[in-house]
Amino acid sequence: MRLTHEIIDTERGLGWSKNAGAMYVLLNNGSTNMWGEKRGYRITLGIGMGTAPHLTINESTAILNAASWAYHDLWVLKHHDHERRSSREYNAMEPESPLIDFEKMVNSERTVQQDLVVYFNLGNHHVPHSGDVPNTLMHTSGSSIMFVPINFHDRDPSRDRVQGVTLTMNTKEVVGGSKVEYFGAKYVEDMNAPLEWLEPDLSGYSTPDDSLMNLSWNSTLASLLEHSVYSSWTESLVRTINWLSQL
C-alpha cells in the first residue's frame, strides 16, 4: 500500500473514488505549519445514511445543457466576480442554450495559488414504499459533505478546549446528591438540573385510541368525526364522498 500525490492545476470536475480511496485537499502553498506541511482543508464525505448520492442528468433528454454541474460530485473553478452562479431558475425554459451554461465556466484555467470556488453536488434517492403512509420520514435520505482542516494546526486543537464534565445522578453509590467531576475548565456557579429536564414525560405524544392509527379510508374519517377533529371539514367530505358513490 502506498500514497501518491497528484496536483490538480486546472479547472475540472471530480468524483468520489471507490472505497474512499482518494482524498481531495485544498492547499495553500504559501503557508506551512511547524512541521513544514502545507496548510489546507480536506473535502470529504459527510456523515449519515445515504452519503453521498448526487443529482444526475446522465442521458437526460429534457435537461440537456441546463444543469451541466450535475455530471460530477465536485467542481474546482477559479474564482471570478462575474461567475456568481452555477445555474438559474430559468435555465429549464431553454435547456439547449440556457441563461447560465455551467460547462462554459469550466475552461481549463489555472488553479494553483488562486482564489478558488468549489461546487459540490448533493442529492438523495427516494423510492416510495408503504412506510411513507401517511407521512414520509426522510431520515434515511440524507446527504452531506464536510470541509475538515488538514495540517492547519501544529497540534490537536482540542487539547486547548478541555471542558469535559461527568455528571453522576443520585444513586445508591452517591449519598446525599449528585456527583460532578470536572476535567479542565470549571463553572463558576453550580446549576441544579431537575430530573424532569433529563427524563421528560413524552406520554402526550401518543394517542390512547388505536382506531386513529387505522389507515383505512372510512375508519379514519369515522375516528376524526368521533373525536371532533376538523369535524366540519370531515362531515362535508363524507357528504361529498357519499354523493360521489351514488353517481
Side-chain angles (χ1 to χ4, degrees):
M1 184 176 181
R2 63 178 182 177
L3 179 66
T4 59
H5 296 263
E6 178 184 355
I7 299 176
I8 300 175
D9 54 3
T10 58
E11 298 178 327
R12 70 177 67 179
L14 304 170
W16 300 119
S17 62
K18 182 179 179 181
N19 196 31
M23 178 187 302
Y24 299 120
V25 180
L26 297 175
L27 293 176
N28 182 358
N29 293 332
S31 178
T32 58
N33 60 17
M34 64 177 294
W35 310 98
E37 298 291 341
K38 299 175 182 178
R39 291 188 170 95
Y41 277 87
R42 175 187 175 188
I43 307 174
T44 181
L45 293 173
I47 58 177
M49 300 181 66
T51 299
H54 65 261
L55 302 178
T56 178
I57 60 171
N58 292 346
E59 301 180 1
S60 173
T61 58
I63 300 298
L64 298 178
N65 301 322
S68 301
W69 47 265
Y71 284 117
H72 293 283
D73 295 300
L74 298 168
W75 295 87
V76 179
L77 275 67
K78 181 180 177 181
H79 170 75
H80 292 287
D81 289 337
H82 62 274
E83 294 179 348
R84 295 181 176 273
R85 300 169 178 263
S86 61
S87 182
R88 288 298 296 266
E89 61 271 21
Y90 303 113
N91 274 17
M93 302 296 181
E94 194 173 357
E96 291 186 359
S97 181
L99 186 62
I100 295 181
D101 190 344
F102 183 78
E103 190 173 6
K104 294 181 179 179
M105 296 168 55
V106 186
N107 50 9
S108 300
E109 290 187 276
R110 298 281 296 179
T111 57
V112 178
Q113 287 302 99
Q114 302 290 335
D115 291 334
L116 302 178
V117 178
V118 176
Y119 294 90
F120 53 91
N121 179 8
L122 298 178
N124 63 72
H125 307 311
H126 176 69
V127 178
H129 61 98
S130 60
D132 294 332
V133 181
N135 59 299
T136 302
L137 300 178
M138 301 298 292
H139 61 283
T140 59
S141 302
S143 183
S144 61
I145 191 174
M146 295 190 298
F147 291 83
V148 184
I150 183 169
N151 291 322
F152 199 89
H153 305 279
D154 295 332
R155 61 199 297 268
D156 179 9
S158 67
R159 301 287 294 179
D160 300 325
R161 300 292 184 268
V162 183
Q163 297 181 354
V165 178
T166 298
L167 176 62
T168 304
M169 302 302 294
N170 190 1
T171 61
K172 295 181 179 179
E173 292 76 14
V174 181
V175 181
S178 303
K179 179 182 178 182
V180 181
E181 296 180 78
Y182 296 93
F183 302 91
K186 184 176 181 180
Y187 295 99
V188 178
E189 298 180 359
D190 295 334
M191 183 186 72
N192 294 323
L195 185 60
E196 292 76 13
W197 291 6
L198 305 177
E199 298 181 3
D201 182 11
L202 303 179
S203 60
Y205 289 91
S206 62
T207 174
D209 191 345
D210 295 335
S211 64
L212 287 177
M213 303 304 294
N214 189 328
L215 298 180
S216 64
W217 183 252
N218 292 331
S219 298
T220 302
L221 287 177
S223 298
L224 290 173
L225 286 173
E226 180 182 352
H227 290 79
S228 300
V229 179
Y230 304 119
S231 58
S232 60
W233 178 84
T234 51
E235 288 174 358
S236 300
L237 182 59
V238 169
R239 287 196 297 269
T240 302
I241 293 175
N242 291 335
W243 177 76
L244 290 174
S245 63
Q246 297 173 3
L247 295 179

